[in-house]
Amino acid sequence: AARGAAMADRVREVMESMVPELEDVQRRGLCSASEVKALVRRRERFEYLVHRPRATRDDFLRYLQLEMNFEALLKCRRRRLGMTRQGPPDFAIRRRIHFIFSRAARRFKGDERLWMQWIDFAERRKADKRLERIYGRALAVLPHSVPLWTRAAAWEFEARSNASAARRLLQRALRANRGSRELWLAYFRFELIFAERVQRRRSALGLDGGAGAADGDDVAAGSMADGEEAVGEAVGEDDGEDGGGLEVGDEDEDEDGGAAGLALAPMTDVEGAEGGELGGGSAATSAVARYVYESAVAAMPEDVELRLGCLRACGEVEAGAPIQAAIETSLRDSFGESAAVALALASLPLDRCAAEPEWGSAHAAALRAALQSLDASLAAAPSARLRDACVAWVETVTQREGLPPATVVRMRKKALQLCKAA
């Protein structure tokens, strides 16, 4: 009985906090008195459901759906009444939705999908300050959730233009999940994209030549040092200092469902390395990405897909060109006898042209690169099994639709040469 009375007191307290909001909705003509009463009855019923000791996830989701439907209804009626600006009722409903999400996340801390739904809602509403707290709480209770780490880093980098905070997030993610291929690929791709943006900025500022380029070697060395420090921190070499950015705190909540312990640095994407990179060439800007790749290989030396993923990322970003050959060489050195690796390397140039349906000069160049890759693989580790796999791959390519007849003839000659060599 005492527990039931305590629950009733909590529900009554929550319902009483709704009174000013509902009075304002009715005063503005957005809802009638009967509609407000119906809404109050439904809210009260859901409050009792979510306050139960055995409340389910569906109870919270149905409650959230009620509030989101009410938010959409108010938006339609505001538009119909010519109220272009949002008012206190709109903000009150959003706060209530966040409050319900907060209680659901507190009850079901390990539910990654629930956290993602909350993040989706906050992103749609562009609630950046709320997102800071949500990410902090989520990462504190789910430190091994790779999707949460990568999404938080992407939000910092893309939405807030804060490359420093994104980099630190990925480093901390790797501390907790050093064996995650997805995280290493995300970190490598992040450094490539960051390097490409730096190159574009240099071009826009006219720093591609002259005195800045003359100091390229020094800048490259500085960038590599920064990369070693960054990746060293990611794999556990912590000197106890931190340059600010997104801090993952405990799952301690404030009154309206926020979390303490999460602080973000001012909006900036200027890292210590960038000052030097602005004066260096492409080798300087991709130095950190190359070191990230080497660290990933050291952490997961037998993971072929990790190296192939890094190679594909290099083909997607212009800044990856300086290290693409090095990755191909490392693949052949470590997995030279693997037919799957040889065929994957040969297929990469053609896969990059898959978006273009019509055969053109790009396809021809990709095919030449693929055949050169096959020759390089056979030269590095000649074996009958690898040669047979290459012949089968060449025959498969000749069956592609749209291949010019002359190209088919040349490919069949190539297959015949490989058979004779065997």
Side-chain angles (χ1 to χ4, degrees):
R3 181 180 298 177
M7 182 175 68
D9 289 340
R10 290 196 298 270
V11 171
R12 183 168 56 252
E13 182 181 354
V14 172
M15 297 304 297
E16 288 175 355
S17 68
M18 303 178 189
V19 173
E21 160 203 344
L22 296 175
E23 288 179 345
D24 191 41
V25 167
Q26 190 172 348
R27 184 173 61 253
R28 291 170 181 265
L30 295 171
C31 288
S32 64
S34 60
E35 289 174 330
V36 169
K37 290 180 181 179
L39 177 63
V40 168
R41 285 194 298 270
R42 296 191 65 183
R43 280 182 172 178
E44 186 177 24
R45 182 169 64 87
F46 276 118
E47 283 295 333
Y48 274 106
L49 286 174
V50 300
H51 274 92
R52 292 181 305 164
R54 296 183 180 181
T56 65
R57 182 177 181 274
D58 288 339
D59 293 334
F60 285 97
L61 292 180
R62 288 197 299 269
Y63 194 3
L64 286 166
Q65 191 60 55
L66 169 68
E67 297 297 337
M68 290 180 185
N69 290 343
F70 184 49
E71 181 189 29
L73 175 65
L74 288 188
K75 183 178 179 181
C76 292
R77 291 189 176 178
R78 277 196 301 103
R79 187 183 300 115
R80 189 182 63 190
L81 295 173
M83 300 178 182
T84 57
R85 298 186 61 180
Q86 297 182 356
D90 301 280
F91 302 123
I93 293 173
R94 291 180 190 175
R95 284 195 300 270
R96 183 163 304 284
I97 292 173
H98 284 298
F99 181 48
I100 298 170
F101 265 123
S102 178
R103 288 187 289 173
R106 181 172 49 198
R107 182 71 67 92
F108 306 100
K109 295 181 180 180
D111 193 330
E112 182 184 282
R113 188 172 61 169
L114 180 62
W115 287 105
M116 289 296 190
Q117 288 175 314
W118 192 5
I119 290 170
D120 286 337
F121 175 78
E123 285 186 347
R124 288 196 302 270
R125 300 302 183 272
K126 296 181 172 57
D128 286 353
K129 292 184 179 179
R130 180 76 63 167
L131 272 169
E132 295 176 11
R133 299 196 290 269
I134 297 171
Y135 276 124
R137 285 180 59 187
L139 294 174
V141 299
L142 294 171
H144 299 294
S145 173
V146 174
L148 271 175
W149 283 109
T150 53
R151 184 164 183 176
W155 175 70
E156 284 285 6
F157 189 42
E158 301 296 340
R160 294 171 61 88
S161 300
N162 193 339
S164 302
R167 180 178 288 111
R168 280 187 290 274
L169 275 174
L170 291 170
Q171 291 165 9
R172 290 173 184 174
L174 285 168
R175 287 180 187 171
N177 309 275
R178 191 178 179 184
S180 171
R181 177 198 305 160
E182 185 179 349
L183 272 178
W184 279 112
L185 287 174
Y187 191 17
F188 179 75
R189 188 175 289 109
F190 160 77
E191 293 295 355
L192 284 181
I193 295 173
F194 179 72
E196 185 176 42
R197 292 186 180 183
V198 171
Q199 289 181 14
R200 291 178 179 175
R201 190 176 305 167
R202 289 178 60 251
S203 299
L205 296 175
L207 298 177
D208 288 330
D215 299 330
D217 293 340
D218 294 337
V219 171
S223 298
M224 180 65 76
D226 288 333
E228 293 175 358
E229 180 181 356
V231 180
E233 180 186 357
V235 297
E237 301 170 11
D238 192 358
D239 59 2
E241 296 181 358
D242 199 330
L246 194 153
E247 297 288 347
V248 180
D250 296 330
E251 222 264 333
D252 295 331
E253 301 169 20
D254 55 22
E255 184 175 330
D256 66 346
L262 183 64
L264 288 169
M267 185 177 293
T268 175
D269 61 354
V270 180
E271 186 81 348
E274 184 179 347
E277 287 168 350
L278 284 171
S282 59
T285 53
S286 60
V288 178
R290 180 166 184 166
Y291 195 84
V292 170
Y293 170 76
E294 293 171 356
S295 300
V297 170
M300 306 176 67
E302 302 301 323
D303 195 327
V304 178
E305 287 301 321
L306 171 64
R307 304 194 196 192
L308 289 174
C310 291
L311 189 58
R312 295 187 187 99
C314 288
E316 298 168 0
V317 182
E318 185 178 348
I323 57 178
Q324 187 169 340
I327 296 178
E328 292 180 1
T329 301
S330 76
L331 275 165
R332 291 195 177 96
D333 290 344
S334 302
F335 308 98
E337 297 181 357
S338 171
V341 171
L343 300 184
L345 290 174
S347 300
L348 277 177
L350 292 174
D351 292 342
R352 291 166 187 159
C353 299
E356 302 177 15
E358 297 294 332
W359 185 271
S361 58
H363 292 82
L367 187 57
R368 286 194 297 271
L371 295 177
Q372 291 172 2
S373 177
L374 286 181
D375 292 337
S377 297
L378 287 169
S383 67
R385 188 178 65 175
L386 179 58
R387 199 175 300 277
D388 291 343
C390 291
V391 171
W393 182 85
V394 171
E395 186 62 28
T396 302
V397 172
T398 60
Q399 298 174 5
R400 290 195 174 191
E401 295 184 2
L403 204 64
T407 302
V408 174
V409 171
R410 285 197 296 271
M411 293 292 292
R412 294 193 184 280
K413 287 182 179 179
K414 180 65 177 180
L416 184 59
Q417 291 175 1
L418 293 173
C419 291
K420 288 181 178 179

